[in-house]
Amino acid sequence: MNRILTKNTPNYLEKSVRVSGWVNTIRSHGKIIFFDLRDRSGLVQVVFTPNLKPEIYGLAQKVKPEWVIEITGKVSPRPKGMENPKIETGKIELRAQNLEILSQAKTLPFSIETPGYEVNEEKRLEYRYLDLRRPRLRKNLEMRQKVIQFMREFLIREEFLEIETPILTKSTPEGARDYLVPTRLQPGKFYALPQSPQQYKQLLMVSGIEKYFQIARCFRDEDPRANRQAEHTQLDIEISFVKQEEVMNLVESLFISLIKKIYPEKKIQKIPFPKITYQKAMEKYGTDRPDLRKDKTNPYFLAFCWVINFPFFKKDEKRRWTFTHNPFSAPKSEFMEDLLSRKNIKNILTTQYDIVANGLEVGGGSIRNHRPDALEAVFEIIGYEKEEIKNKFGHMLRAFEYGAPSHGGIASGIDRLLAVLQNEPNIREVIAFPKTGDSRDLMMDAPSKVSEKQLKELHLKILPR
Ligand code: ASP
């Protein structure tokens, strides 16, 4: 007999079926033992009566919560008045005929019956595989898949090509520190994990791909901050021959149709999404991520907005020019002359656009500098020597000399978007295996030391602190 899912048991009334899963709860009424058996589809009530074979009834008496068992039993209507309308299988129960124990379980380090917000988070992360048994987290993962599937299908319908770009790549400036990866075959040299696929997606435009997307993992060695992770997932998009408005409209219509389909209960405060200039946002709200919700207590309310017209450059703590968002962005066209002649730097505005949902930045992008001379000007302004520019960005500048289309794109942070849509207080709740604020994986105990042998192979030595 093949195993069936608990949710399908009502289709087998008066028949014998086999189900497998975890013992969610155990109750006894006199000599009758009840298990709630849990599998990926839900729960079913199983009943053991003393008139069963003694070895089976005896075994049932030993079972503890979270043991993994297999039951053969007859699907029977529950006695009148005993139905449970709260669960899908609440009209039936399984009269056990056979019980097999597949695995025993220690007492769990925390209860998985509650949503879990009250449990110490480090404990939850250390035992994440148990934490994920919580229906809330399972639901978050299911919704995550639905959202990603929707994005994928939407973009494929729009003739985008999904392309994977490398994880082992070159260190590039995108505002955060790179994770570096040494390699045995090239001692003294390092790959970097991509902060985003920015350069690859732009190079794909030079290849004539025209419409690219990827569900991309991005790695940033950042100082701990709320709603940041060492690695996060983006919906990454790049398009050739495109105007700022078109990229914004594409993402806006993707978000609106996604919410209508997957979150029909949600209410988007304003369509089209309001556009606010950076200057106005700072004056009026004191932030470039304004939370425009008229009613912040209502979990169904979503207030999106675009923020545009950011300054291209700002001074860093050493009073040198640095970029505010993305060094590969084009300036707004009226500032191209200023950029090329390296004047009026503080007033140059970028084509950057950020998208904000309920006060959280959930995406950003720009029209790019596809002129090598303009890109070079950006790198000079932020203080790179000519030689350094060649070493770090020679590949981009060279590529742009062989016929580069105008292009632009955007990346949307999937973890943050999901946290907003699922009403979760932070992105860790929508990631299967998140890291702590200081980027440790408590379950795997990573990062961890490596052996002397491994270090030697890489020609590395650890200096004392
Ligand atoms: N690469 C940028 C980021 O990760 C997004 C973009 O400009 O497309 O923020």
Side-chain angles (χ1 to χ4, degrees):
M1 204 189 308
N2 283 341
R3 177 233 182 176
I4 65 163
L5 289 175
T6 58
K7 75 162 184 209
N8 294 330
T9 49
N11 307 335
Y12 292 81
L13 208 56
E14 303 299 345
K15 299 214 170 71
S16 278
V17 296
R18 186 159 70 82
V19 292
S20 321
W22 286 259
V23 177
N24 201 57
T25 47
I26 303 171
R27 298 175 304 277
S28 319
H29 289 302
K31 294 213 145 49
I32 306 180
I33 307 169
F34 295 93
F35 293 172
D36 274 347
L37 184 78
R38 184 185 74 238
D39 64 11
R40 68 185 165 90
S41 72
L43 299 171
V44 70
Q45 174 165 291
V46 187
V47 192
F48 293 86
T49 47
N51 57 1
L52 274 163
K53 276 193 228 143
E55 63 270 26
I56 294 172
Y57 184 75
L59 205 54
Q61 285 175 310
K62 288 200 193 107
V63 170
K64 300 250 155 43
E66 297 304 310
W67 285 24
V68 185
I69 60 172
E70 196 166 274
I71 303 261
T72 310
K74 191 167 147 209
V75 181
S76 314
R78 290 201 194 185
K80 272 267 162 299
M82 304 299 271
E83 292 102 340
N84 178 359
K86 284 198 206 122
I87 63 172
E88 238 181 287
T89 60
K91 289 206 170 98
I92 60 105
E93 61 192 10
L94 213 57
R95 302 262 162 83
Q97 294 160 326
N98 199 14
L99 162 67
E100 198 176 315
I101 290 162
L102 300 182
S103 145
Q104 301 193 357
K106 294 210 270 191
T107 304
L108 266 44
F110 42 68
S111 159
I112 56 167
E113 277 174 64
T114 65
Y117 296 113
E118 76 293 353
V119 180
N120 173 290
E121 202 188 9
E122 299 227 330
K123 264 271 166 309
R124 287 180 54 204
L125 294 180
E126 187 182 344
Y127 293 94
R128 187 60 158 186
Y129 43 88
L130 301 179
D131 198 38
L132 290 176
R133 288 184 188 172
R134 268 176 228 294
R136 174 176 67 94
L137 291 198
R138 180 175 178 98
K139 182 82 190 163
N140 285 352
L141 295 182
E142 282 172 5
M143 295 311 284
R144 185 178 178 110
Q145 188 221 10
K146 283 207 168 85
V147 164
I148 290 176
Q149 184 181 353
F150 186 93
M151 291 171 164
R152 217 176 226 130
E153 285 170 2
F154 182 99
L155 291 171
I156 291 170
R157 241 187 344 260
E158 296 285 327
E159 299 182 2
F160 280 78
L161 202 56
E162 183 173 13
I163 300 175
E164 292 156 81
T165 54
I167 294 295
L168 291 177
T169 174
K170 188 182 169 86
S171 178
T172 63
E174 283 193 47
R177 277 193 196 82
D178 286 321
Y179 279 101
L180 298 177
V181 184
T183 164
R184 179 178 54 89
L185 298 177
Q186 308 282 333
K189 291 191 176 167
F190 294 82
Y191 297 104
L193 304 182
Q195 292 187 29
S196 84
Q198 183 70 33
Q199 297 191 40
Y200 285 107
K201 68 173 174 174
Q202 290 195 246
L203 292 168
L204 285 170
M205 297 302 107
V206 180
S207 310
I209 294 299
E210 293 197 23
K211 288 180 135 189
Y212 144 94
F213 87 97
Q214 179 178 195
I215 309 296
R217 199 65 72 80
C218 304
F219 305 87
R220 300 177 188 182
D221 187 1
E222 290 187 293
D223 291 332
R225 264 197 272 177
N227 276 319
R228 305 244 172 175
Q229 282 270 300
E231 47 186 306
H232 70 273
T233 308
Q234 290 185 343
L235 171 64
D236 197 38
I237 293 175
E238 198 72 13
I239 312 167
S240 294
F241 312 112
V242 82
K243 300 254 175 335
Q244 180 171 339
E245 289 289 316
E246 291 172 73
V247 183
M248 292 164 76
N249 288 342
L250 173 86
V251 170
E252 189 164 323
S253 76
L254 167 56
F255 279 18
I256 294 168
S257 43
L258 183 154
I259 290 158
K260 280 202 175 130
K261 174 89 192 287
I262 305 179
Y263 294 91
E265 72 284 5
K266 300 257 180 196
K267 177 141 182 39
I268 300 177
Q269 184 167 287
K270 194 152 189 245
I271 297 176
F273 301 167
K275 292 187 184 70
I276 310 170
T277 64
Y278 169 78
Q279 203 189 354
K280 183 87 183 282
M282 294 309 284
E283 276 168 19
K284 195 160 169 199
Y285 306 101
T287 171
D288 57 4
R289 292 178 271 107
D291 187 346
L292 299 184
R293 274 176 299 174
K294 289 195 196 108
D295 179 359
K296 294 201 175 73
T297 58
N298 187 333
Y300 297 108
F301 235 51
L302 287 169
F304 286 96
C305 69
W306 290 100
V307 183
I308 54 172
N309 289 2
F310 290 91
F312 201 127
F313 301 99
K314 63 173 184 201
K315 290 274 171 108
D316 66 13
E317 65 281 2
K318 292 197 179 125
R319 308 218 36 78
R320 290 170 315 201
W321 287 117
T322 179
F323 53 90
T324 61
H325 281 79
N326 190 331
F328 299 100
S329 300
K332 296 199 76 179
S333 56
E334 58 270 37
F335 293 96
M336 187 53 103
E337 273 317 307
D338 285 341
L339 176 69
L340 291 171
S341 51
R342 288 97 167 128
K343 333 184 288 248
N344 193 26
I345 294 172
K346 85 172 192 318
N347 295 320
I348 297 177
L349 297 180
T350 159
T351 52
Q352 176 80 26
Y353 29 83
D354 277 359
I355 184 163
V356 177
N358 295 0
L360 215 59
E361 186 197 318
V362 292
S366 63
I367 300 302
R368 322 301 182 185
N369 240 337
H370 69 286
R371 285 177 53 170
D373 54 341
L375 190 54
E376 230 172 314
V378 172
F379 291 126
E380 270 183 41
I381 290 171
I382 62 180
Y384 287 109
E385 302 290 337
K386 283 242 182 307
E387 197 51 33
E388 216 177 346
I389 297 176
K390 226 171 94 199
N391 283 340
K392 287 206 157 94
F393 308 104
H395 55 285
M396 294 290 277
L397 297 169
R398 187 180 334 125
F400 288 174
E401 286 169 355
Y402 289 95
S406 60
H407 59 285
I410 191 162
S412 165
I414 289 178
D415 313 298
R416 285 198 196 158
L417 183 65
L418 262 147
V420 173
L421 293 173
Q422 291 294 104
N423 297 311
E424 289 291 4
N426 70 66
I427 60 174
R428 294 184 295 280
E429 303 292 346
V430 297
I431 298 174
F433 297 106
K435 295 188 172 54
T436 58
D438 56 356
S439 294
R440 284 172 304 140
D441 180 333
L442 297 176
M443 182 184 71
M444 305 288 278
D445 186 27
S448 59
K449 291 197 171 144
V450 297
S451 70
E452 272 307 315
K453 180 162 167 270
Q454 284 170 298
L455 287 175
K456 214 164 160 189
E457 251 175 9
L458 295 166
H459 297 257
L460 290 181
K461 223 190 182 89
I462 305 293
L463 296 175
R465 279 199 178 213

